Structure formats: C-alpha cells, structure tokens
Amino acid sequence: MRKKHNRVVSWLKRCLLRLVLLLAGITISLILLFSVVPVPFSAVMAERQIGAFLSGDTQYRAHSDWVSMSEISPWMPLAVVAGEDQKFPQHWGFDFDAMQSVLDSRQHGEMRGASTLSQQTAKNLFLWDGRSWIRKGMEAVLTVGLETVWSKKRILTVYLNIAEFGPGVFGVQAAAEAYFHKPASQLSREQAALLAAVLPNPIIYHAASPSAYTRERQQWISQQMGQLGGREFLQRYHLY
C-alpha cells in the first residue's frame, strides 16, 4: 500500500513538473513572439470579457486596436511615464525606492502602489487581477523576462496598447477614438495627461466625465511632463 502511495505521489510530481515546464516554455515563446509581433489580446482583457459574460452582460466588448509607437502622439508615452513610473528608463523592472516607500506607508495605515510600467505590462499581458503573493511572484519573474528580451520602447509600446482606459476600452487608440474622436497620433498634451490620469483605476476614474480629483491629477501629470524635459526626455532614452 505504501509503495502504491509513493508511486502516485511520484507520478503527481512528474506531472506537475511537466506542467510547469510547459507553461514556462509557452511563456518564453510568447515573450519572444511579442517582442516583434503586435499583441492581439491580453489576460486582463480576457478576464474582463469572461467576467462580463458570466455576469450576463452580453453588450460588453473588450476592444483594442494595435498601433505602433510612431502612430501614437509623443505626449502619450511621456504622460504615462510622468504619471506612473518616472524612473522607467533607468530601472531594470523594479523601483526599490518606491517599494520601500510603500512598506513605510503601510506601517502608517496608508495604501500606495509601487508597480513599475514593466510590472504592469507583465501583469496585464499574462496574469489576473489580485494581490496574492503567488501572483506577485509570477509577475516578478515575467517582469525580468520582459526587461531581458524587450527594449524599454517595446515595453512602453505594448503597455500603451493593452492598458485599460475604461469599461471595454483597452489601448490608447481605442481610448483616443472613444473619448476624443480622433486617432492616438493626434492626442494633445492635455488629452494625453487626462488618459494617463485614469490609469490607476479606470473603473473609478473616467476620462469621459472626469471628477475634480481626476482633473487635479491631469494637471499634476502635465506639470511632471514638463519637469521631465518634455519630448526631449523620450528622445534621450530612446522611448519614441
């Protein structure tokens, strides 16, 4: 009986190892593929679409239109860097100073985030929403993969194409058309700052009807865009 139990355990371990290796192989293949090929769909888009279907919302459509960086107004990548991750060009996927600030703030009862644009891209592309240690660990591994294989410009391009800007609105092209009735290439500085302002939580903050807080954040982002150096910042770090 004991030998049979050991054989079953051994078989389960082999199956689990093979599954892990298979998933790792698929993930590595996708990272390599998406380094040159447009991303058709993200895990967050799939999660939102499936959730809407299960809740009976047949009208919901997770919509995104891929555009290259050259088809995006330079104000938009500048705005998301200014609003979400100002150390993006310098770090290797993780902002350890921001992480320490988060730990300090939580000790005082505050709630802050410290995810870099690289981490957000990895999460949006491959993972699900949540705050479990398992998901964060997977996010960290995927972030290292993206930073190793992709350029900073590629990470930023994919991020802008899969980021959620509102219910069913994914990617800067879909957002520009939905909220400003123009292509992403024609976004102004103020419009780019407004779209970046809703990124912390596009379910709560709305570009179509921005709250006072969203407007304040828009103005702050616009100021930060100037302090970073404007479009010259993108050129300096080869982000555009």
Side-chain angles (χ1 to χ4, degrees):
M1 187 70 178
R2 185 176 182 80
K3 289 183 178 180
K4 183 178 180 180
H5 173 75
N6 291 338
R7 285 199 300 269
V8 171
V9 172
S10 179
W11 178 79
L12 289 173
K13 288 181 178 179
R14 289 196 302 271
C15 288
L16 179 60
L17 177 61
R18 289 170 182 169
L19 178 60
V20 170
L21 292 175
L22 176 62
L23 292 176
I26 292 174
T27 301
I28 292 172
S29 298
L30 289 175
I31 289 175
L32 292 171
L33 179 65
F34 291 148
S35 67
V36 293
V37 175
V39 177
F41 219 71
S42 70
V44 170
M45 292 173 69
E47 182 180 8
R48 296 284 190 268
Q49 189 65 65
I50 293 171
F53 176 78
L54 293 177
S55 66
D57 184 0
T58 59
Q59 302 299 316
Y60 183 92
R61 292 291 183 275
H63 178 65
S64 174
D65 294 314
W66 177 273
V67 285
S68 64
M69 185 62 83
S70 62
E71 298 174 283
I72 301 173
S73 165
W75 294 120
M76 195 65 231
L78 182 61
V80 297
V81 171
E84 295 291 296
D85 183 7
Q86 294 189 12
K87 295 182 180 179
F88 176 67
Q90 292 93 8
H91 64 60
W92 289 87
F94 307 95
D95 186 342
F96 295 104
D97 290 336
M99 290 180 182
Q100 185 60 52
S101 296
V102 168
L103 292 176
D104 293 341
S105 67
R106 287 181 178 175
Q107 290 177 356
H108 294 86
E110 302 174 17
M111 291 298 293
R112 296 174 53 191
S115 291
T116 64
L117 288 173
S118 303
Q119 290 175 275
Q120 292 181 47
T121 302
K123 189 268 291 184
N124 290 343
L125 184 55
F126 292 111
L127 301 174
W128 63 94
D129 278 338
R131 295 182 178 275
S132 68
W133 286 109
I134 293 176
R135 193 197 66 78
K136 292 299 292 184
M138 294 174 67
E139 178 187 291
V141 173
L142 289 166
T143 298
V144 172
L146 295 189
E147 286 279 347
T148 302
V149 178
W150 294 3
S151 66
K152 288 289 187 177
K153 180 179 178 180
R154 184 61 180 181
I155 292 173
L156 195 53
T157 301
V158 173
Y159 175 82
L160 288 170
N161 275 281
I162 65 175
E164 185 177 17
F165 289 94
V169 181
F170 291 85
V172 63
Q173 180 71 5
E177 292 174 348
Y179 303 126
F180 306 115
H181 311 292
K182 61 172 62 175
S185 61
Q186 296 180 12
L187 287 170
S188 67
R189 175 174 180 158
E190 292 72 22
Q191 291 166 341
L194 178 58
L195 289 180
V198 307
L199 286 173
N201 195 329
I203 305 302
I204 296 177
Y205 310 127
H206 307 285
S209 54
S211 64
Y213 171 80
T214 304
R215 287 296 187 188
E216 289 177 6
R217 181 167 169 78
Q218 176 193 19
Q219 294 175 5
W220 179 82
I221 290 174
S222 183
Q223 293 172 354
Q224 295 300 304
M225 290 162 69
Q227 291 184 14
L228 285 176
R231 298 186 183 190
E232 293 182 1
F233 174 86
L234 300 177
Q235 297 171 353
R236 187 187 316 141
Y237 293 105
H238 308 289
L239 298 177
Y240 189 81

